[in-house]
Amino acid sequence: MRRGLLATGAGMLVALIGATGAQASDSSATSVYLHANYALVAAGHAHVGASVAGYRSVLTQVRRNCPKAAEASPQNPESTDLSNEVIGAMVLNAGKVDRPAIKTYLQAVAGLRWSSSKITRAVANYATMLRKLYALSTPDLCGDIAAWKSTGFKSLPSSTLSFVGVFYPNWVALGLLPNGLSRFEDAQDKQLARGSARYEYQLTNVEAQAVETWGEIMNELILNP
C-alpha cells in the first residue's frame, strides 16, 4: 500500500514537472517570437516610404522600357499569370529594404516550439513562405511579356511560370500573430503583441494603396488581368 502511494506520488511529481517545463518552454518561445515579430513589423513600418518608392519603380520601369507591351493581348489564364508577375515584381521591389529585418526574423524564430502544435506549425509555415518569397529574384516583366507576344500571345515563357509558381502560393505580408499565442503571453509580451498588431494594420493599409499602382501598370502595359 505504501509502495503504491509512493509510486502514485512520484508519478504526479513527474507530471507536474513536465507541465511546469512545458509552460516555461511556451513562455520562453512566446517571448522570443513576439520580440522577433515586433522587430520585423517595426522595420517594415519604418521603411514605408522606401517600400512605396520600390513598388512605384515598377511603373516607372514599364513606362520607360515597355509601354503598351501587351497591346491586343487576350484576357485568359496566361494574362492572369502575368498580372500576378506584376504583383510579384511590386512586392519584391517594395520588400528590398526589409530583407535584413526578414533575415534576422527567420534566424530568430527557427526551431521555436510550443506545446500547441497549431502554433508551432503556423510559425514554421509562415517562416517557410517568407523564406521562399524573398529567395526570389525580381522578374524581367518587360522581357517576359515580349516573349509571350512573340508566340502570338499563346505561350508564356518558363521564367513567368516558374516565378508565379513560387510567388503566388508564398505571398505573405510582414508579420504574424498566430491564433492562441495570447494565452502564453505575460504583460510585456501583450504590449509587444499590441504594438505588432498596430504596425501590421498600418502595413496592410499601405498594401491596399498599392492596388492603384498595380492598376496603372496594367493600363500602361495594356494587359488584362
Side-chain angles (χ1 to χ4, degrees):
M1 183 74 171
R2 178 180 174 81
R3 189 175 300 166
L5 287 172
L6 287 173
T8 301
M12 290 177 63
L13 180 60
V14 169
L16 181 60
I17 291 172
T20 302
Q23 289 171 358
S25 177
D26 286 335
S27 176
S28 175
T30 297
S31 182
V32 169
Y33 181 79
L34 286 172
H35 277 87
N37 189 69
Y38 181 84
L40 176 65
V41 295
H45 183 264
H47 298 152
V48 162
S51 294
V52 171
Y55 72 66
R56 291 284 299 176
S57 72
V58 179
L59 176 59
T60 302
Q61 239 177 4
V62 166
R63 283 175 171 165
R64 181 176 63 242
N65 299 330
C66 55
K68 301 182 180 180
E71 187 173 13
S73 64
Q75 184 175 23
N76 57 20
E78 286 77 21
S79 69
T80 299
D81 280 340
L82 281 164
S83 170
N84 289 331
E85 184 173 334
V86 170
I87 297 169
M90 293 174 66
V91 169
L92 293 180
N93 274 284
K96 281 180 181 178
V97 70
D98 298 318
R99 284 177 182 259
I102 291 167
K103 182 179 179 180
T104 299
Y105 167 87
L106 291 173
Q107 290 171 340
V109 305
L112 288 180
R113 296 285 184 273
W114 285 263
S115 60
S116 166
S117 60
K118 288 184 179 180
I119 295 175
T120 300
R121 190 163 51 248
V123 170
N125 288 346
Y126 175 75
T128 296
M129 292 169 75
L130 200 61
R131 185 179 294 107
K132 288 181 179 179
L133 178 63
Y134 285 97
L136 288 169
S137 298
T138 305
D140 178 8
L141 187 58
C142 291
D144 287 343
I145 293 177
W148 184 42
K149 184 176 182 178
S150 72
T151 69
F153 300 116
K154 293 178 180 178
S155 180
L156 289 174
S158 59
S159 51
T160 292
L161 296 174
S162 60
F163 176 82
V164 173
V166 175
F167 167 74
Y168 201 74
N170 293 291
W171 177 22
V172 289
L174 290 183
L176 173 73
L177 292 172
N179 290 332
L181 191 66
S182 59
R183 70 180 185 269
F184 301 128
E185 296 170 1
D186 61 21
Q188 184 182 24
D189 293 336
K190 290 185 185 301
Q191 187 174 2
L192 283 170
R194 286 193 296 270
S196 293
R198 283 195 298 271
Y199 282 144
E200 287 176 31
Y201 176 76
Q202 291 164 359
L203 291 172
T204 299
N205 285 341
V206 172
E207 288 184 1
Q209 293 166 15
V211 173
E212 183 178 343
T213 299
W214 169 81
E216 291 181 75
I217 295 169
M218 298 292 286
N219 289 338
E220 191 70 31
L221 291 167
I222 314 182
L223 176 64
N224 298 301

